[in-house]
Amino acid sequence: MFNLIEKAVLGMAALRLFSGSVEIFAAILMLKLNDVGKALVVNSSLALVGPVILILTTTIGLLGLADKISFTKIFWVLLGVGCILYGVRSN
């Protein structure tokens, strides 16, 4: 099965599995801490993980498609990711 999976797809999936594992660990940590203030700190720290994983996963995907799509389309995808990050940033 794994010999048929592209390396870029495998890398993207591995990053998402890592991200999901971090989220599950954070949820367990919140339950163990059993304090709203500490749970909020743990939750806020997850705000760093999400965008980093998004950028890395998108980068791997674009590198995997670099020979198949035009530079203009890559630019628009990166611009879209930038807009998402700008839209969800905290002030």
Side-chain angles (χ1 to χ4, degrees):
M1 177 179 150
F2 286 111
N3 59 352
L4 300 176
I5 297 176
E6 289 188 36
K7 290 179 184 178
V9 173
L10 186 59
M12 293 169 72
L15 277 172
R16 285 296 170 188
L17 285 171
F18 171 73
S19 177
S21 299
V22 169
E23 295 274 348
I24 291 170
F25 175 75
I28 292 169
L29 184 61
M30 286 180 201
L31 291 171
K32 184 170 174 70
L33 292 172
N34 196 28
D35 180 80
V36 175
K38 292 177 183 175
L40 189 58
V41 170
V42 171
N43 187 62
S44 298
S45 66
L46 288 175
L48 298 173
V49 176
V52 170
I53 297 296
L54 172 67
I55 291 168
L56 290 174
T57 305
T58 303
T59 301
I60 291 172
L62 288 175
L63 290 174
L65 287 176
D67 60 339
K68 298 175 187 166
I69 62 174
S70 69
F71 177 74
T72 305
K73 288 185 180 182
I74 291 174
F75 169 76
W76 284 112
V77 170
L78 291 175
L79 185 64
V81 170
C83 288
I84 290 169
L85 294 175
Y86 178 76
V88 298
R89 73 181 177 132
S90 300
N91 283 335

